[in-house]
Amino acid sequence: VARSGVVETAVLKLSTALCQMVERVATADPKHADHIRVQNYHCFTESTIPLLSAMPVLRRFHAMGEEAHTEACARYVERVTHKHFGHMLDFASRLESLLQVLSPEERLAVYVNLVMDIGVSIVSHEDTVLGSLAMLKQCKEHVVKACHALEEQACKCYPGEVINLSARQLE
């Protein structure tokens, strides 16, 4: 019984130190903080799964690691999609200034091509950046929703035109 108490205390101290270290490293690099958290908490929770039944003290840290991982995933996906869609919003403001110069057909062609290029770029590029399938799926869902909204917006702006923008191509 005494050994089990010593082991639990050691596991408790190691888990606490590990979580503190992850947070220290993440806060030292704000640009990559969420990505660091995602990778490290994922690794921690995956490696503790086999030990949970033998060491109940780990359950609390496992749950904390899963929660930290989920929160970091959400922030990271939001940041990545905002970063890429920020370019699209910049383009929209530039396109607005071109509306006086371009014909309606030219405007529509430029709009559709840009949206599809950016959408495909995001989906294919983030496969290598995100790593986690859950995060990749979440990112793709954000992109597809945004493309559906853009498709609806294009249809409202150009009611008489046939829009060949299809978010289903990204799915």
Side-chain angles (χ1 to χ4, degrees):
V1 175
R3 277 189 184 169
S4 127
V6 171
V7 170
E8 284 187 5
T9 302
V11 167
L12 184 69
K13 286 181 179 182
L14 286 171
S15 298
T16 302
L18 181 92
C19 292
Q20 289 172 346
M21 181 64 75
V22 168
E23 290 304 317
R24 239 187 328 233
V25 169
T27 54
D29 187 0
K31 182 178 178 183
H32 301 103
D34 288 322
H35 194 239
I36 291 168
R37 286 183 182 104
V38 166
Q39 289 179 328
N40 285 284
Y41 284 121
H42 175 74
C43 182
F44 174 74
T45 57
E46 289 299 308
S47 63
T48 57
I49 290 173
L51 304 172
L52 291 176
S53 61
M55 295 183 185
V57 72
L58 270 179
R59 287 188 183 125
R60 184 178 88 197
F61 287 99
H62 180 80
M64 287 172 38
E66 283 182 328
E67 183 178 338
H69 176 262
T70 301
E71 290 171 1
C73 277
R75 286 191 306 268
Y76 184 67
V77 166
E78 186 67 33
R79 186 174 56 81
V80 167
T81 55
H82 177 73
K83 173 186 165 193
H84 289 287
F85 281 105
H87 296 295
M88 195 179 304
L89 296 173
D90 290 343
F91 173 79
S93 66
R94 283 182 275 158
L95 182 63
E96 195 65 38
S97 65
L98 289 174
L99 287 178
Q100 286 77 11
V101 181
L102 298 175
S103 71
E105 295 80 20
E106 290 171 320
R107 287 184 228 154
L108 183 61
V110 169
Y111 183 82
V112 169
N113 288 334
L114 178 81
V115 170
M116 290 309 300
D117 288 348
I118 290 176
V120 169
S121 168
I122 291 169
V123 172
S124 62
H125 171 68
E126 292 312 318
D127 191 19
T128 58
V129 174
L130 294 175
S132 165
L133 289 178
M135 281 199 325
L136 179 60
K137 183 179 177 189
Q138 192 176 6
C139 186
K140 283 183 180 180
E141 288 172 3
H142 274 64
V143 170
V144 169
K145 284 180 186 176
C147 283
H148 279 296
L150 287 168
E151 187 173 13
E152 289 174 12
Q153 181 186 28
C155 289
K156 288 178 186 175
C157 290
Y158 305 101
E161 299 292 327
V162 175
I163 308 291
N164 290 326
L165 171 66
S166 177
R168 286 174 286 293
Q169 293 173 347
L170 300 174
E171 294 175 354

